[in-house]
Amino acid sequence: MSELDALPADQRAVLQLLLKQGKTYAELSTLLAIDAAAVQTRAHDALDAIGSETTHELPSERRGQVGDYLLGQQAAGEREASREYLGGSPQARTWARVVAGALGPMAAEPLPHVPEEAAPEPAVELVPEPAAAAPVAPVAEAPIEEEPAAAAPPRSSRLGGALLLGGVGVLVAIALVLILGGGGSGGKKTNSVSSTATQSTAQPSPLAQINLMPNAGSKSVGLAQVFAQGSQRLLIVAAQSLPPGSYALWLYNSAAQARLLGFVPQKVDKQGRFVTQGVLPQDARSFQSLVVTKEQVTRGKVPTRPGAIVLRGKLQTG
C-alpha cells in the first residue's frame, strides 16, 4: 500500500483535486462547501502523514510553507521565499523530497522544483573607507510580512455535526451538474451525467440515484447519488432553492425511527444551495428513506428526532 492509499479518504480527495485538477484552496472551498482553512488543513495533514518519518524535524509553520509551495498554492513572492528557505535548510529539503516523491505520480503537471543546497556567498574583503567619507547608514531590509495563520478547524468532521468527506471529491462537481442541469427529474439528462461520473472517477462506481422530492408547493429540489468504494457506500447530496437556514440529513423510517447522518457543513444562504458528501453506515438498508430536514441548531446539543422534512427520497444503496 502506498502512502497515498493509506491516507484518510477526505485528505486523499483534497490532494487529488489540487494536483490532478489544478484547483486552489479557495476553489475547493466553494466546490466542497467547506471553509478554505479546512481545505488547507486537510492538505497539510496529508503531507505530514506522507513525510511522517521526517515531519518532526520541521516546525509546523515551515511544513505548511513548503507544503503550499509543492501544491502550487503560493504567489510569486511566496514561492521565491520558499525556494530560498529550501536552499538553506537540509531538513526542509529532505522532507520536501519525500513528499514530492509520493505526490509526483498523482500530479497532472510537474511539481515545483526542490532546489539544491544554496552555495555559500563568497567572502568579501572589507576595504576601509577614506577618512573624509561620510558614514553611510545601513539600509534595513523590509521585513517579509507573513499572513496570519488561519484558525485551525477541527481535524475531523462531526457525524451528528458535519458529514465526513467520503473520498470522492471530484464527484461533488458532478452532483452539482446533476442538480443545476435538471438531473433530479429522472430524465435522459440524468443518465448522461451518471455516465460521466463513471468515466471521471477511477475508484468509486455509481450504484443508485435518489431523487429528493419537496413538499407540495415548494420549489426546492434535491438529488443524492450512492457510489461503491470497496465495501463502503459513499453518498453525495446536493440541493437548491432552499430557504436560508441550517439543514441535516437523516436515514428515516418514522420520526421515532431515524438516524442522523449529520448537519450540512455550511449554513444555507440566500442562494439556497448546498452540496455535501459522506459515508453511509453499514445498516443503512434498514431504513426506507433519505430525508433533508430544517433544524434549529442549539450549541452543544444533537437532535434526537428529525426537524421539519423539506426533501425526501426512497433510499437505495445498490
Side-chain angles (χ1 to χ4, degrees):
M1 179 182 291
S2 69
E3 297 93 335
L4 293 173
D5 292 334
L7 292 174
D10 58 335
Q11 295 177 13
R12 188 169 62 251
V14 166
L15 290 184
Q16 288 172 340
L17 288 170
L18 292 172
L19 295 172
K20 287 187 177 180
Q21 305 294 324
K23 301 294 185 183
T24 65
Y25 292 148
E27 288 171 335
L28 287 193
S29 171
T30 301
L31 184 65
L32 302 180
I34 60 176
D35 190 84
V39 176
Q40 185 182 43
T41 296
R42 286 188 173 97
H44 287 180
D45 287 349
L47 301 189
D48 283 351
I50 292 171
S52 58
E53 293 184 1
T54 56
T55 291
H56 65 280
E57 298 179 3
L58 283 180
S60 60
E61 64 271 15
R62 286 301 192 182
R63 295 197 305 273
Q65 176 188 0
V66 176
D68 289 345
Y69 171 75
L70 293 175
L71 294 173
Q73 301 298 310
Q74 293 180 333
E78 294 173 318
R79 288 196 300 271
E80 184 59 36
S82 295
R83 281 193 291 266
E84 183 177 346
Y85 170 65
L86 284 165
S89 171
Q91 295 87 353
R93 288 196 302 276
T94 299
W95 186 83
R97 286 171 181 149
V98 170
V99 171
L103 297 181
M106 178 188 290
E109 300 291 339
L111 296 178
H113 175 64
V114 179
E116 302 297 330
E117 181 178 2
E121 295 185 2
V124 178
E125 183 180 357
L126 298 177
V127 179
E129 295 181 355
V136 179
V139 178
E141 294 185 357
I144 299 175
E145 295 184 0
E146 297 185 357
E147 294 184 0
R155 291 301 176 95
S156 62
S157 301
R158 296 169 292 124
L159 279 179
L163 279 175
L164 288 172
L165 285 172
V168 289
V170 72
L171 299 177
V172 177
I174 297 171
L176 276 173
V177 171
L178 287 166
I179 287 293
L180 301 181
S185 63
K188 294 183 180 179
K189 189 176 295 184
T190 296
N191 294 332
S192 65
V193 179
S194 296
S195 173
T196 304
T198 305
Q199 299 170 5
S200 301
T201 57
Q203 295 179 342
S205 57
L207 291 178
Q209 175 177 303
I210 305 169
N211 295 326
L212 299 173
M213 307 306 295
N215 298 322
S218 172
K219 296 181 179 180
S220 302
V221 62
L223 182 71
Q225 291 223 316
V226 179
F227 294 82
Q229 188 175 50
S231 62
Q232 290 185 322
R233 292 297 183 264
L234 310 177
L235 176 70
I236 296 177
V237 183
Q240 69 176 18
S241 301
L242 293 168
S246 298
Y247 291 84
L249 273 65
W250 297 77
L251 299 177
Y252 186 88
N253 288 330
S254 66
Q257 188 179 2
R259 173 179 292 187
L260 176 65
L261 289 177
F263 286 96
V264 173
Q266 288 188 338
K267 189 173 183 179
V268 172
D269 59 16
K270 61 183 179 181
Q271 293 183 338
R273 296 181 185 172
F274 76 75
V275 181
T276 191
Q277 55 183 322
V279 180
L280 286 171
Q282 294 295 324
D283 63 346
R285 293 185 178 183
S286 62
F287 294 89
Q288 298 177 356
S289 303
L290 174 70
V291 300
V292 178
T293 61
K294 191 168 185 180
E295 301 288 345
Q296 296 294 327
V297 178
T298 303
R299 182 179 296 275
K301 295 186 68 176
V302 177
T304 57
R305 285 177 173 255
I309 296 176
V310 295
L311 294 170
R312 181 198 303 254
K314 182 178 180 181
L315 183 63
Q316 303 174 59
T317 58

